[in-house]
Amino acid sequence: MSETPAVERVYSLAEVDYMRLWGENDRLWPFVKRLFPKLRLMVRGEMLKAVGPEEELDWFGEKLQAMLAHYDRMGRLTENAVMQIMESGSDAPGAEVDAGVLVHGRNGLLVKARTAGQQRLVEAIASGDLVFAVGPAGTGKTYTAVAMAVRALKNKEVRRIVLTRPAVEAGESLGFLPGDMRDKLDPYLQPLYDALRDMIPQQKLLSHWEDGTIEIAPLAYMRGRTLDNAFVILDEAQNATSTQLRMFLTRMGRHAKFVVTGDLTQVDLPRRQQSGLPTALRLLEGIEGIGIVRLDHTDVVRHRLVSAIVRAYEREAEIAQE
């Protein structure tokens, strides 16, 4: 009786952070190999090669995809999760359901709404296509919006994420910074980079940047575009003029979701220019399909003193308006 001929298949791990997939020092890989004794399994960087009978390879391919799906959702893979995957026929078994979790970030980070205001923002984004999130620093406006964008991308609700900010100098000059224009703009976009790095494995994030699935650009680059099938976030909108905000809002294409975040107490525009955000809020409030969520010092999730600082400045502003 002739032996079943061996077949070779190669799987790409380029879409995951394969340096972390199997844990520290690849400690999980020997455990996974022992579960498939009829196959020769070899990992070389982002490529995984499997050799053996075709039926075994079909089974291995199914389980490998389930492992990768679990890792994508949870940001980690454990022996317990692998065993549940081996015993189950579902795509990503063993993925615990955590109430309120928006994204399973890197290193097991669970990203979720942490305040009542953030929860209102999550609900507004889920139910509407255009949402304004207005509030002071530290209330999680940008972070929550990015989490909702990453979730929409992972769930294939959108094809890409576009993140943008006005390139307005906060009391400093762009000219003194070294490098080309992109190098000069990067510090303004750093909070967006930081949020993405918390939520998407590094290798996958780099891949998304390279193929345009995730784009980060200054507001001026939005002119003349139509953004279809995209989750678009305009951050620091208090530094956009009325003309710029109108331009941005009219970029909305089919199957798009727009979120505009801003802090009306931190306008960095030159004296002769006025923020367009108050005008947009006044004109658009009450229009069906447009949500406006206002956060305050009770939503601050930074150091406890930040909430006190925010409240002190709010009281000063209230006195000035009397």
Side-chain angles (χ1 to χ4, degrees):
M1 185 175 178
S2 60
E3 293 185 3
T4 303
V7 178
E8 178 181 307
R9 291 184 188 171
V10 178
Y11 305 88
S12 173
L13 303 180
E15 288 300 304
V16 301
D17 189 347
Y18 60 88
M19 297 292 288
R20 307 179 70 92
L21 176 63
W22 309 118
E24 187 176 353
N25 297 321
D26 291 337
R27 60 177 178 76
L28 194 60
W29 179 236
F31 172 76
V32 171
K33 287 175 67 175
R34 286 196 296 271
L35 297 173
F36 302 93
K38 296 182 181 180
L39 299 177
R40 285 194 298 118
L41 302 174
M42 295 153 280
V43 171
R44 294 292 183 270
E46 63 182 41
M47 305 305 294
L48 190 160
K49 185 165 73 171
V51 181
E54 190 163 11
E55 288 184 2
E56 291 289 324
L57 288 173
D58 290 341
W59 184 56
F60 172 73
E62 176 187 330
K63 297 305 179 183
L64 176 63
Q65 290 307 311
M67 291 180 205
L68 296 178
H70 180 94
Y71 177 81
D72 187 52
R73 286 185 11 159
M74 307 297 292
R76 58 181 173 173
L77 192 63
T78 65
E79 288 189 8
N80 184 55
V82 171
M83 288 308 300
Q84 289 186 55
I85 288 170
M86 296 297 292
E87 295 167 3
S88 169
S90 60
D91 289 337
E96 59 266 28
V97 177
D98 298 284
V101 173
L102 305 178
V103 176
H104 291 89
R106 298 180 63 186
N107 302 321
L109 174 69
L110 301 180
V111 181
K112 59 174 72 178
R114 296 172 61 185
T115 70
Q118 289 180 12
Q119 184 57 41
R120 291 198 309 273
L121 178 55
V122 167
E123 293 167 359
I125 294 173
S127 61
D129 288 337
L130 173 58
V131 176
F132 288 83
V134 184
T139 51
K141 306 180 298 296
T142 301
Y143 202 81
T144 302
V146 171
M148 292 295 285
V150 171
R151 185 172 78 167
L153 184 66
K154 287 189 173 185
N155 292 342
K156 302 188 186 308
E157 297 166 13
V158 297
R159 294 179 186 169
R160 56 185 172 144
I161 296 173
V162 179
L163 309 175
T164 184
R165 269 186 163 196
V168 175
E169 302 170 7
E172 298 181 31
S173 173
L174 279 172
F176 82 96
L177 294 170
D180 58 20
M181 183 52 68
R182 179 172 179 176
D183 294 328
K184 293 175 186 292
L185 289 170
D186 269 356
Y188 292 89
L189 305 174
Q190 195 61 47
L192 302 175
Y193 290 125
D194 292 343
L196 287 170
R197 289 190 181 104
D198 274 358
M199 302 175 201
I200 302 177
Q202 183 68 15
Q203 197 70 22
K204 192 165 191 177
L205 184 56
L206 291 173
S207 175
H208 284 333
W209 277 333
E210 289 173 1
D211 65 18
T213 300
I214 296 179
E215 175 186 354
I216 302 181
L219 180 57
Y221 285 32
M222 298 298 108
R223 189 174 300 278
R225 302 177 62 181
T226 300
L227 300 170
D228 296 322
N229 300 299
F231 196 118
V232 187
I233 300 174
L234 170 58
D235 193 34
E236 299 285 354
Q238 76 276 2
N239 289 327
T241 64
S242 284
T243 300
Q244 290 174 324
L245 257 179
R246 180 176 178 179
M247 176 274 292
F248 171 78
L249 294 174
T250 54
R251 302 305 95 199
M252 182 179 285
R254 294 171 299 173
H255 310 297
K257 192 177 287 285
F258 275 39
V259 178
V260 179
T261 71
D263 177 0
L264 293 172
T265 68
Q266 294 192 18
V267 178
D268 299 313
L269 289 166
R271 288 184 181 179
R272 295 181 182 179
Q273 291 185 339
Q274 290 188 333
S275 170
L277 185 55
T279 301
L281 295 172
R282 176 173 54 82
L283 292 175
L284 302 179
E285 188 162 19
I287 295 178
E288 186 175 355
I290 298 179
I292 297 178
V293 179
R294 292 181 169 86
L295 300 100
D296 59 27
H297 67 282
T298 62
D299 296 300
V300 171
V301 291
R302 294 179 183 171
H303 192 285
R304 61 180 179 80
L305 289 179
V306 175
S307 180
I309 292 167
V310 168
R311 187 61 191 131
Y313 277 92
E314 286 177 347
R315 284 197 297 268
E316 178 70 13
E318 290 166 2
I319 294 171
Q321 291 175 358
E322 292 177 355

